C-alpha cells in the first residue's frame, strides 16, 4: 500500500520487537468470533489513474454542473479568486488538527481570529465563533442558546426561513423543552406580517433576511418587537454576500446572527462542506456554542492566539456544554477568510451591488414576459420569486430540457401550496447573455 | 551557537490583516457590470442599506493576502511535516489524490438542489460510499448527513430514542438514562444531553476496560436507554467483553451505541455489527483520511441495524433500478440533521480512499496502525509509566508518573516534544488516567520516524531527570512561548479592534 | 532567550531520499496490465535489458515523498514569503491565476505534434501573445521558441549574423566583432561567442552610462557586427543616449541588440523599437511574471525589426484567414533553436498576465516598480555608498565602500539580511562596481515591507560599524551556516553514493 | 491593479519622498521622443473570471487533447502521480530563484542533488547536471562539448535521431567549426548500419536509442566503434521511461548521455516546458555545460549543498564559458525528481515493462491487419513504425475523423520519402480498449 511508509520487512522486524510473528496476533484481544474471517466485499484496490477515471465518470453524470443556472436558495454560485483554493491547499493548513497546541498552531489560530473579526464586522455583531457546521445547524444552536439566555422556551419563527433550516432546527430541539411557533409571511409583500405570536414566554423571534423568497425584512422593526417582549432577536443570513450592501443585522438590533458563509468563495459542492456563521453580543458570549479564539501573551509579552472560554465546551463541560460540537468547519472558515480579505471592503461592496443589479435586471425582464410576474413586493437582493400562469415544474423542465438552462427552483419543493411559483437567483457569475437567454426561454422564444 | 536575534523578521512578525490594511489597496477585479443599472434608491431604500462603509474590513492587494497567509502558514505544524501522534484523532496521511478528485468540476460546481436526473453522479457516489461503509461496519442502515462525529453521535442517540419511543410508547419516558464510561470523549455526554437523556457514568477497571459489575449494577437500577461505548476504548484497548456488554444492555432493554472514532483499529479486521452494536458513527476525517483542516470540516456517518434504519435522517439516498433517488418517505425519521446532503466533499475523498485501498489495503492499514502503536507502547514502557497492561490497539497510553516527581508534567513533556520536531500526543485525555499521554502514530509513520520519536521521548525523560527546568520551560524553538491561557479566558479579546496592542505588549 | 537546541529535529535534518530508502517500500500503483503479455525474451533480448536492478534508485512510500519534499521546501525562501530584491531578476508576484490557466487540460494535455486543425487554440494563444509582445516592444518580428533569456540572446545574435551574411555576402566575415559593455550580463558574451563572434568590451562612464567616445573609437576600428546593450543597463540607469548609440552602431554598419532583461522598467512607457534597436529578447520569467521555479523554466522571446524577421527560427506561428498555422517556409531562417514550440506553458502564463493587466495595469506596474527602486535608492543613500547619481530606474545600486573599512563586505551584508527575513539583493554584479549590491524591489512590494527592508539595511550598517563580527558571521538564524564553497569546488561531490557522509561530517 | 500592494495614496507619498509629484517624472531620463505617448493596443484588463473564460475557450479548441492518442516522437503521455503537481506548487519552490544563496535555498539545492543522482543512476553515468532546456538543446550542447573534449570537429550522427533535435543542433553549431556528417539507418532493421564515416577526425558518434523509429540500437557495439577512433560516444534518449527496462547507456559505454525528461511525470503541454538531461563521465565534468550542485559543509561540519564548479559558466567565464545557459528548467527537474522518487525502483521498472508489453501487443494486432506491417525488425520499446499499403496521411486522417483517434505520426512530416509509414507510440496510459479500437479502425471495421 503506497501510503504506508514501512516495507513488509520492516513490519516483520517490528512485529518481532513486540514479540509477535504475524500481524493477526496483533488482534488477539478481539474475540475470535467477532473477528472478520473473510474479505470485505468492496472494490479491488484501484490505481491512481483508475480512481480518477472512476470519479470523473461519476462527475460527468452531474450534468447540472455544466449548465447556466439560476439556483440559489441557500447555496450560491459566486466567483472565488484563484488564491483561495491554492492557499488552503498548503498542507500546513489542511493537514493540521484543531489548534490545541498553540505554539505550533499560530497560523490556524491567527486566521480564526481574523475570521471571527470579519464576521463581526460584516454582521455588525460583537463576537463571532470559529464556525459551525453550516447555516442550518447554526440556527438550531441559536434556538438552544436563546433558550439558555432567556430561560424561556418558545421560539417564534417565520415560514419564510429556509425550510431545510427549520427542519434541522426541529430535529435538534425535538427532545428539549422548546415550543416552536411558525408564523406566516404576508402574501403580498413576502415579509413577516403578524407578530401576535410574540409574548412573554418567547425566547426568540427568528427571521431570515433576505428571506427564502429573496425579500429583505424590516429588521429594525422586528428587533423592537422582539425586545419589547424580552425575547432575543435572531437573524438568519443564507446569502452572506448580501452583507456587503444591506444594513447589518447588528445595526438593526439583532442579538444573535447565524448564517451560511458558503457565498464567501466556497464551492457549491452539492451542498457541503460549507461553513456556519454564529455571532452575538459580548454579554452572551458564555452561552455561545462552538470554539472561540482569543488573544494571549507569552511571558515575554509577545502576542499570540489561543482557543479560549472552553469551559463552555463538551471536552470540559461534557453533558452541560453549550453544544456537542467538536470538529467544526475550520478549513472552510479559512477559505472564507481569504475570500473576504481578497475582496476587501471595496470588493465586498461591489460584488453585492452587482448581484443586486443583475437580479433587478433579470426581474424586470421576466416581469415583462406575458404570463409571468414577480411575486412579492418587498425589496430584494439577488433572489426573487416568479409567478407563472403555468405550473412551475413544467416551465422549468422545458427551459432545462429545451434550452439547457436551470431556471430556478420550484417553490412547491418546499411549499406545495405554491405550484406555479419558482425562485430565481442571479449572481455576478450570471452574464447578461445568460439572463437574456433565460428570459427568451421563458418567453418561449 | 547562540543566535543573534533580529526582531523585525517579517515572516515571524506577520501582523493581523487588519493591521496590514491601507486605504485604497485592492485585491480583486470583477467583470464590468454588463446590465443596465437600476438607480440605487430604486434598487433598495436607503434605510435598508449599509451606512458604515464596511468600516474595519481590510483593504489589501492580492499579493498582501498571499504573503500574509503563506507567512502565517509557516507557524503551523502539519501531517506533511511529520508524525502527528494525537491520540483519538487519527492524523493519517491526507492523500493528494483525494484532494484532486474532490475538486473535479462536476462535483465542486454542483448545486445541491439541481434536479435529481442531473445529479445522478453525486447520488451514485453517496450510494456507493454508503454500501461500502455498511459492509465495513456490518450495519445495514446509514446516513451520511452528519457533518462530524458529534453530529453522528447525536443522530445515533436520537435513533435510539426514536426506536424506544416507538417500541415502548408512553413507557419510553421512563428510559432516559444513557450510560457512558468515565473514559468517554466529551461529545458523548453532550450529544446524549442534546437528545434529552441524562447521563450515568460507568467506571473502568484497573485493566482499562468497562467494569462489567458496575455496568450490571447500573442496568439493574433500570431506566437504561442505552450505552455509548468507544471501542477500542479511549485508552486504546479493545473491549474484549464486547458481546457480553451488548448482551447486558440488550437484556436491560437498552441499545448499544458505539463511538467509532477508533475504527482505524478495526477496519477489515472486525465489524461492530458482528459484535452486537446497534448504532455507530464513523469519523471520515479520522479513519477514512479526509483532512482535519485545522479543525474541520469532517463527516460523521451514522450507521445502524435494520431495526433502526427507518428512523434515519431524511432524505435517504437509494437506488431504484438504475436510478439514484432521494427518498423522503420515512415517516418515522428523526428528521434532517443538516441542510442538503451533508459534507459531500468529504464523501468524495473517503470513497477515493476506499477505492485506493481496496480490502487488502484497508486491512494492511489497520495492521500497520496497530503495529505502530504497539511498538511505541513496547519501546517506551521502561521509561514512561504505562497505566494499563493489556495489548494496546491503535494508540498507546502513558502517564507522567515517572517524571512528575521531578515536577515535569504531561504538558511539559508535550511542549518539549515540539523542540524535537514532533507534534505532541493528546494530553490529559482520557480523564481516567492522571496526566494521560495518548499516542496514536497511525499507519502513516515509518519505523525510522517512530524510532526518532521514541528516542526523543527517552531524551525528554533524561532531561526531566537531569534538568527538569529545561522541560518545564519548553518549547524553546517556537516563534512564541507558552501562552497565558488563564488571562486570555479571564479577559477575553475575541476580535481585532483598532485600538488593540500590536504584536507585543511592549511594542 | 537562548535556545535549547535539539539535534534530531526531523524537518531540520531531512536526509537525502536515498538515505530514507528501505527495500520493499512502494509509492505507486499502476493499473494491472490489461493486454496479453509477451514473454520477456521475445519482447527484448537479454543483452539489451538492464541487469543492475536499478541499483540505488530509492524505494519509498508516497508519504515518504510528501514529507521529504515538504520538509526540504521549508528551507527555501520565496517570493510568497517576502521581498526578494534580486537585481536583474525581477522577482515579482507569480499570480496563482496564471498557474491555474496553464494547467487547463486542453493546454497541459496537448501533444505538440497533433494535427494543426486540432491544436488551433494553442496556436491562437501563441499568436495572440506574439501580437501583444510586438506591440509592447514596438518590433514587428517575433519568435517565442527560445527557452530562456540566454537562448533568446543567441537567437538574436544569430539573426544579426544572418542579416549581415545576406547583406554583405563574403564580406560579412570581416564583421565578427560584437561590442558588449563591461557591465553586461555574462550570457551576452557567451551567446555572442556561440554565434561565432569575438567580443570587444565597451567601457562605462563614471555616470554608469555607455562611454560614447569609447564606443565611437571601437566602431572606428571596424569589423563591428553589432552591439549588445542592456537598457536600462545593469546598474539600473536608462541609457539616455540610446538614439545616438544606435545611430553610431548603424553608421558603423552594425546592428543593435538590446538585452531586454530589464524591460520591467519600460513596459507601457517606452518601446525599444522606437529607440532604434534592431533585436531584443524578453524574459517572460522576469517582466511577465512567469515563475522562476528555483532556476527555471523560462521563456525568452526574440523580437526584431522587419528587416530581420525573415531570419527568425522556424516554424513561425501565423494567421491565415481564421486559421492559425505553422509556417516553415522561411529559407533564410537561422533554423530551429528548440524542439517543438518552445516553453508553451510559460506563454500561457504570460498572456494571462497581460490580459489581467491590460495597458493601464502594465503601465501602473512599471511605474510602481521604478518608484519602489527610486525610493530605496533615496532612503539608503545616506547609509550606503551609491556609485552613480543618475536617476535609477527599476533597481538601485550600492557598494560596500562605507562598510568595508570595518571589514564588512557585500557578501556579509547579504547574509545578514537573511537574519532580518529578507532575501539578499544581487551581489557582485555588475562587475563594474566593486562590491556591488543591486536591489530590485519590483512592483510587488508595498511601502511597509520596503520600509522594513530599509530599516534592516540601516541596522546592518549600524552593526557593521559597532559589531562587525556579528555581520561577518551571518547568517545566524538558518538551519545551516555559510558553506565552504571553495572545498566544494576543489573536491566536487556531485551525486549521492552509498558511502557518503550523512548529514554532518561528524555524524 | 490587484497585484500591486500599494494604494494610490501610498504611491503619492513615496513620490513626494523622492521629490516628485507625478509618476511620469520617474522617467525623465528617457528622452521624450522615445517615450510612448499613447496607450498600447492590447486588450482591456480582464477580471479573473474573464481570463479563465478566455483561456478555457482557447483550450477547448485543442480538441486533440481530448482524444485517445498514439503520438510519441519525443513527447509521451504518461501518468503523473497527483503529488507531483501538488508539491511543485508549494510556493517555496516555484516562487524562488536559482539557489545562489545556499543558506536559504537548501530545499532547491537538495532536490537538484537528488535529481543529478537519479539521472546518473538511470543513465548509468557518473555525473549529471541540474538540467538543460530540453533534449534537443542538450544534444546540441553535447556536440559542442565533444568538440571541446576531443579538440576534433566532426560529428557523426544518424538520421534516426529525432529530426527536430538534429535541426536544433545544426542551428547551434552553424557558426562554429563543427562538420556534421549524417549517416543512414538500415532499411530492414531500422538500426545504424554503416559506420564507415567514423575516422580520426571524429569528435563524436551520436545515436538515439530507442531511435526515432522506436528501434533499440546496439549501443555497446557502437561505443566500441566510436572509442576505436578516439571519438566520444553520445547517446540520446527521448523516451526516458525506457531507462527502467533497457540496459543503461552508461553500461554500454556512453561518454555523454543527453535526453529529454518529459516522460518523468511532466505534462506534454504542447511541447514545453520539459527538461533536458545531460550526464557524462567524471573526467569530463569541467567541460560540461549547465549548473552543478555539490556537497559542501559549514564550519560546524553540517552537510549542505551549493552550486559549484561555476567557473565553467557564463557568469564567471563569459565568452569562454562552456555554454551560455543561465535559467534552466529547475522546477521541471523537481517534478521529474518527485516522479522518479514516487515511482521508485519498482515503479520505474513496472511502468517501463507495461509500455513495452502494450506496444508489443499493439504491434502484433496491427501487423495482423491486411495491408499493414511493422516496418523495422530491431527490438523496440514503446514505439514502432507501421507501413501501410495506402498513404499514411489518409489512413490517419480517416482514423482521426471517423473514429476520433489520433493514430500516430506520419513519418513524412520529417521523412518525405516515407509517405506510407507512420509512427505509433503506446504507453501505460493507452488501455487495451483504446488499442483494440485503433486496430479495428485501421482495419476499417
Ligand atoms: C472518541 C471520540 N469521539 C467523538 C469525537 C468527536 O468527533 P468530531 O470531532 O468529529 O465531532 C472524537 C473527536 O475528537 C473522539 O476522539
Ligand atoms: C541582464 C540579463 N541578461 C540576460 C539574462 C539571462 O537570462 P536567462 O537567465 O533567462 O537565460 C539575465 C538573467 O539573469 C540578465 O539579468
Amino acid at each position: 500500500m503506497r501510503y504506508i511508509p514501512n516495507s513488509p520487512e520492516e513490519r516483520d522486524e517490528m512485529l518481532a520487537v513486540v514479540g509477535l510473528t504475524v500481524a493477526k496476533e496483533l488482534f488477539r484481544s478481539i474475540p475470535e468470533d467477532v473477528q472478520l474471517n473473510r474479505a470485505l466485499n468492496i472494490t479491488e484496490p484501484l490505481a491512481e489513474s483508475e480512481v480518477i477515471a472512476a470519479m470523473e465518470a461519476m462527475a460527468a453524470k452531474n450534468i447540472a454542473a455544466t449548465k447556466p443556472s439560476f439556483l440559489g436558495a441557500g447555496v450560491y454560485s459566486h466567483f472565488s479568486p484563484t488564491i483561495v483554493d491554492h492557499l488552503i491547499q498548503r498542507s500546513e493548513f489542511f493537514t493540521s488538527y484543531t489548534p490545541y497546541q498553540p505554539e505550533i498552531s499560530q497560523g490556524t489560530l491567527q486566521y480564526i481570529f481574523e475570521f471571527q473579526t470579519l464576521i463581526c464586522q460584516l454582521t455588525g455583531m460583537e463576537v463571532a465563533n470559529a464556525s459551525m457546521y453550516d447555516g442550518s445547524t447554526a440556527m438550531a444552536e441559536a434556538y438552544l442558546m436563546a433558550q439558555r439566555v432567556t430561560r424561556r422556551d418558545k421560539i417564534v419563527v417565520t415560514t419564510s426561513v429556509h425550510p431545510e433550516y427549520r427542519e434541522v432546527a426541529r430535529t435538534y430541539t425535538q427532545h428539549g423543552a422548546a415550543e416552536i411557533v411558525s408564523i406566516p409571511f404576508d402574501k403580498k409583500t413576502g415579509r413577516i406580517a403578524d407578530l401576535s405570536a410574540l409574548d412573554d414566554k418567547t425566547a426568540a423571534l427568528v427571521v431570515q433576511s433576505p428571506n427564502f423568497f429573496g425579500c429583505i425584512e424590516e429588521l429594525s422593526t422586528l428587533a423592537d418587537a422582539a425586545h419589547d417582549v424580552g425575547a432575543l432577536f435572531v437573524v438568519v443570513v443564507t446569502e452572506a454576500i448580501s452583507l456587503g450592501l444591506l444594513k447589518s443585522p447588528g445595526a438593526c438590533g439583532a442579538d444573535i446572527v447565524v448564517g451560511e458563509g458558503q457565498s464567501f468563495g466556497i464551492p457549491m459542492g452539492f451542498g457541503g462542506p460549507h461553513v456556519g456563521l454564529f455571532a452575538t453580543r459580548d454579554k452572551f458570549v458564555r452561552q455561545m456554542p462552538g470554539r472561540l479564539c482569543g488573544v494571549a501573551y507569552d511571558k515575554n509579552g509577545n502576542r499570540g492566539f489561543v482557543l479560549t472560554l472552553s469551559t463552555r465546551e463538551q471536552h470540559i463541560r461534557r453533558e452541560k456544554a453549550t453544544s456537542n460540537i467538536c470538529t467544526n468547519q475550520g478549513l472552510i472558515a479559512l477559505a472564507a477568510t481569504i475570500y473576504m480579505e481578497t475582496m476587501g471592503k471595496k470588493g465586498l461592496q461591489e460584488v453585492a451591488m452587482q448581484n443586486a443589479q443583475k437580479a433587478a435586471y433579470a426581474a424586470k425582464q421576466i416581469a415583462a414576459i406575458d404570463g409571468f410576474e414577480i411575486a412579492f413586493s418587498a425589496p430584494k437582493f439577488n433572489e426573487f420569486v416568479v409567478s407563472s400562469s403555468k405550473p412551475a415544474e413544467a416551465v422549468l423542465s422545458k427551459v432545462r430540457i429545451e434550452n439547457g438552462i436551470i431556471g430556478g427552483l420550484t417553490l412547491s419543493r418546499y411549499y406545495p401550496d405554491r405550484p406555479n411559483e419558482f425562485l430565481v437567483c442571479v449572481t455576478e457569475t450570471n452574464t447578461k447573455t445568460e439572463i437574456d437567454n433565460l428570459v427568451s426561454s421563458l418567453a418561449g422564444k | 551557537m547562540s543566535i543573534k536575534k533580529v526582531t523585525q523578521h517579517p515572516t515571524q512578525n506577520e501582523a493581523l490583516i487588519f493591521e496590514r490594511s491601507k486605504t485604497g489597496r485592492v485585491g480583486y477585479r470583477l467583470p464590468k457590470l454588463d446590465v443596465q443599472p437600476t438607480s440605487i434608491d430604486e434598487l433598495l431604500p436607503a434605510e435598508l442599506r449599509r451606512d458604515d462603509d464596511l468600516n474595519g474590513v481590510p483593504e489589501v492587494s492580492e499579493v498582501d493576502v498571499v504573503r500574509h497567509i503563506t507567512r502565517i502558514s509557516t507557524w503551523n505544524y502539519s501531517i506533511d511535516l511529520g508524525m502527528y501522534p494525537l491520540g483519538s484523532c487519527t492524523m493519517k496521511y491526507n492523500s493528494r489524490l483525494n484532494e484532486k478528485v474532490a475538486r473535479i468540476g462536476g462535483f465542486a460546481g454542483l448545486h445541491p438542489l439541481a434536479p435529481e436526473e442531473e445529479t445522478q453522479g453525486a447520488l451514485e457516489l453517496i450510494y456507493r460510499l454508503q454500501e461500502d461503509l455498511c459492509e465495513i461496519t456490518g450495519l445495514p442502515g446509514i446516513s451520511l448527513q452528519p457533518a462530524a462525529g458529534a453530529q453522528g453521535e447525536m443522530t445515533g442517540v436520537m435513533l435510539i430514542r426514536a426506536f424506544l419511543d416507538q417500541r415502548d410508547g408512553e413507557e419510553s419516558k421512563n428510559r432516559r438514562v444513557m450510560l457512558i464510561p468515565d473514559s468517554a470523549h466529551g461529545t458523548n455526554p453532550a450529544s446524549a444531553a442534546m437528545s434529552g437523556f441524562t447521563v450515568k457514568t460507568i467506571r473502568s477497571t484497573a485493566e482499562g476496560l468497562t467494569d462489567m459489575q458496575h455496568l450490571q449494577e447500573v442496568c439493574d437500577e433500570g431506566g437504561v436507554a442505552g450505552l455509548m461505548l468507544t471501542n477500542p476504548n479511549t485508552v486504546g484497548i479493545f473491549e474484549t467483553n464486547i458481546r457480553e456488554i451488548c448482551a447486558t444492555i440488550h437484556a436491560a432493554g437498552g441499545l448499544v451505541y458505539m463511538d467509532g472514532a477508533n475504527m482505524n483499529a478495526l477496519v477489515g479486521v472486525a465489524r461492530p455489527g458482528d459484535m452486537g452494536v446497534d448504532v455507530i458513527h464513523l469519523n471520515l476525517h479520522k479513519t477514512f483520511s479526509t483532512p482535519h483542516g485545522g479543525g474541520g470540516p469532517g463527516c460523521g456517518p451514522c450507521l445502524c441495524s435494520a431495526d433502526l434504519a427507518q428512523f434515519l435522517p431524511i432524505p435517504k439516498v437509494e437506488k431504484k433500478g438504475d436510478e439514484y433517488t432521494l427518498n423522503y418517505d420515512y415517516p418515522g425519521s428523526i428528521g434532517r440533521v443538516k441542510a442538503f446532503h451533508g459534507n459531500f466533499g468529504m464523501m468524495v475523498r473517503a470513497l477515493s480512499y476506499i477505492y485506493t485501498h481496496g480490502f487488502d489495503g484497508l486491512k494492511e492499514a489497520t495492521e500497520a496502525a496497530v503495529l505502530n502503536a504497539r511498538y511505541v507502547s513496547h519501546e517506551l514502557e521502561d521509561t514512561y509509566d504505562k497505566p494499563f497492561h493489556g495489548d494496546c490497539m491503535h494508540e498507546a497510553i502513558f502517564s507522567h508518573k515517572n517524571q512528575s516527581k521531578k515536577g515535569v508534567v504531561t504538558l511539559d513533556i508535550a511542549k518539549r516534544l515540539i523542540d524535537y520536531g514532533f507534534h505532541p500526543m493528546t494530553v490529559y485525555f482520557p480523564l481516567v488516567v492522571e496526566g494521560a499521554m495518548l499516542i496514536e502514530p497511525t499507519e502513516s509513520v515509518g519505523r525510522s520516524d517512530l524510532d526518532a520519536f521514541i528516542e526523543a521521548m527517552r531524551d525528554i525523560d533524561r532531561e526531566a531527570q537531569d534538568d527538569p527546568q529545561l522541560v518545564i520551560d519548553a518549547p524553546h524553538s517556537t516563534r512564541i512561548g507558552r501562552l497565558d491561557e488563564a488571562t486570555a479566558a479571564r479577559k477575553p479579546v475575541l476580535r481585532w479592534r483598532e485600538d488593540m496592542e500590536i504584536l507585543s505588549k511592549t511594542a
Side-chain angles (χ1 to χ4, degrees), chain A residues 379-412:
Chain A
K380 300 170 190 74
F381 177 62
N382 67 358
E383 285 182 285
F384 53 87
V385 171
V386 176
S387 295
S388 157
S389 53
K390 303 199 209 91
E393 182 70 51
V395 171
L396 292 181
S397 277
K398 187 164 167 294
V399 165
R400 180 162 61 83
I401 290 157
E402 293 178 12
N403 308 93
I405 300 173
I406 303 186
L409 183 78
T410 53
L411 270 200
S412 60

Side-chain angles (χ1 to χ4, degrees), chain A residues 5 15 56 66 69 287-288 304 323 345 383 385 387 424 428 443:
Chain A
L15 275 173
E56 280 182 342
T66 62
S69 162
Q287 294 299 338
M288 276 183 97
S323 165
K345 177 189 283 199
E383 285 182 285
V385 171
S387 295
V424 175
E428 83 283 3

Side-chain angles (χ1 to χ4, degrees), chain A residues 26 67 164 171 350 357, chain B residues 28 38 110 118 336 340 374:
Chain A
L26 290 165
K67 295 185 175 173
E164 298 204 4
T171 305
E350 186 179 342
Q357 287 289 0
Chain B
Y28 79 102
T38 303
L110 189 63
E118 302 203 347
R336 227 181 224 296
F340 314 114
R374 194 75 56 86

Side-chain angles (χ1 to χ4, degrees), chain A residues 4 30 62 72 81 145 164 189 217 222 227 331 358 390 393 408 438:
Chain A
I4 300 181
I30 305 181
N62 298 325
M145 173 168 151
E164 298 204 4
T189 64
E217 300 282 359
L222 299 170
H227 293 155
L331 195 72
K358 291 201 171 197
K390 303 199 209 91
E393 182 70 51
L438 172 67

Side-chain angles (χ1 to χ4, degrees), chain A residues 278-421:
Chain A
F278 199 112
T280 185
R281 302 280 167 201
D282 273 337
K283 60 182 169 197
F284 302 135
V285 67
R286 280 166 211 270
Q287 294 299 338
M288 276 183 97
R291 294 189 190 123
L292 287 166
C293 166
V295 173
Y297 294 88
D298 71 7
K299 63 171 187 276
N300 298 314
N302 295 311
R303 183 181 75 188
F305 303 93
V306 292
L307 293 182
T308 191
L309 297 183
S310 37
T311 48
R312 300 164 300 113
E313 290 181 76
Q314 46 74 27
H315 62 282
I316 310 283
R317 267 284 197 75
R318 303 179 77 87
E319 63 266 35
K320 304 212 170 53
T322 56
S323 165
N324 67 338
I325 192 169
C326 177
T327 290
N328 58 17
Q329 304 285 119
L331 195 72
I332 314 298
L334 171 61
T337 302
I338 300 172
Y339 178 88
M340 291 184 275
E341 293 178 355
T342 306
M343 297 300 283
K345 177 189 283 199
K346 294 261 165 48
L348 290 170
Q349 289 169 338
E350 186 179 342
V351 71
M353 183 57 86
Q354 284 210 5
N355 275 258
Q357 287 289 0
K358 291 201 171 197
Y361 170 82
K364 276 187 209 156
Q365 304 298 310
I366 292 172
I369 315 172
D370 251 12
F372 292 93
E373 57 187 52
I374 306 304
F376 301 110
S377 63
K380 300 170 190 74
F381 177 62
N382 67 358
E383 285 182 285
F384 53 87
V385 171
V386 176
S387 295
S388 157
S389 53
K390 303 199 209 91
E393 182 70 51
V395 171
L396 292 181
S397 277
K398 187 164 167 294
V399 165
R400 180 162 61 83
I401 290 157
E402 293 178 12
N403 308 93
I405 300 173
I406 303 186
L409 183 78
T410 53
L411 270 200
S412 60
R413 178 172 182 138
Y414 300 114
Y415 301 85
D417 57 329
R418 304 185 84 88
N420 282 16
E421 292 176 345

